[in-house]
Amino acid sequence: MPLLLDFILDHTLAITGTFVALYFVLCALYQLCFSPLCDIPGPWYAAISDFWLTTHVLRLQQCRTVDSLFAKYGPVVRVGPNKVVFNDLTTTRNVYSILKFDKSTYYKSLLTFVFFLLSIGIFS
């Protein structure tokens, strides 16, 4: 038993690095193959990280890049691990409709506030 303990103490950094690398590989594998968004078309690296899009934002080319993705993949494109963009009106209606997808309480509270403002005539 002391040999195992000595080995672990001597190689703590290597063992920690291995577990961190394994964690990132498993997260990437989940995003690529098992995520609920994995069937949405887009570049494979978009499923793993937002960093690629950040580089385009810093170079002021985000709109041009997303437009080229629409030309390549269609009206619905995955641009990040949890980001999907679309330029189709029917898709917009499907996603943002109240009844089709479960919305958070924050989203529902915003709708309630807007309906309240409409009812008192602020946005008439």
Side-chain angles (χ1 to χ4, degrees):
M1 190 69 178
L3 290 175
L4 180 61
L5 186 59
D6 287 339
F7 178 79
I8 291 174
L9 291 176
D10 289 342
H11 297 91
T12 303
L13 186 61
I15 293 171
T16 304
T18 303
F19 279 116
V20 168
L22 182 65
Y23 172 77
F24 283 115
V25 167
L26 289 176
C27 285
L29 184 66
Y30 170 77
Q31 290 294 344
L32 284 170
C33 302
F34 303 110
S35 169
L37 300 178
C38 70
D39 293 331
I40 296 175
W44 66 269
Y45 44 85
I48 296 172
S49 172
D50 286 324
F51 180 73
W52 77 276
L53 191 60
T54 304
T55 60
H56 290 286
V57 169
L58 292 175
R59 291 183 288 166
L60 302 177
Q61 295 178 345
Q62 178 185 7
C63 294
R64 194 172 299 133
T65 302
V66 171
D67 191 47
S68 69
L69 290 176
F70 285 137
K72 184 174 182 178
Y73 294 106
V76 180
V77 179
R78 184 178 184 180
V79 295
N82 297 315
K83 292 180 184 173
V84 176
V85 293
F86 43 89
N87 66 353
D88 184 26
L89 185 59
T90 57
T91 306
T92 306
R93 287 185 182 141
N94 285 338
V95 171
Y96 288 111
S97 71
I98 300 172
L99 303 175
K100 292 205 177 201
F101 295 100
D102 189 30
K103 304 291 190 236
S104 70
T105 54
Y106 177 75
Y107 184 84
K108 291 175 184 175
S109 70
L110 288 176
L111 288 179
T112 306
F113 182 68
V114 169
F115 289 139
F116 170 74
L117 292 178
L118 287 172
S119 69
I120 61 173
I122 292 198
F123 292 120
S124 56

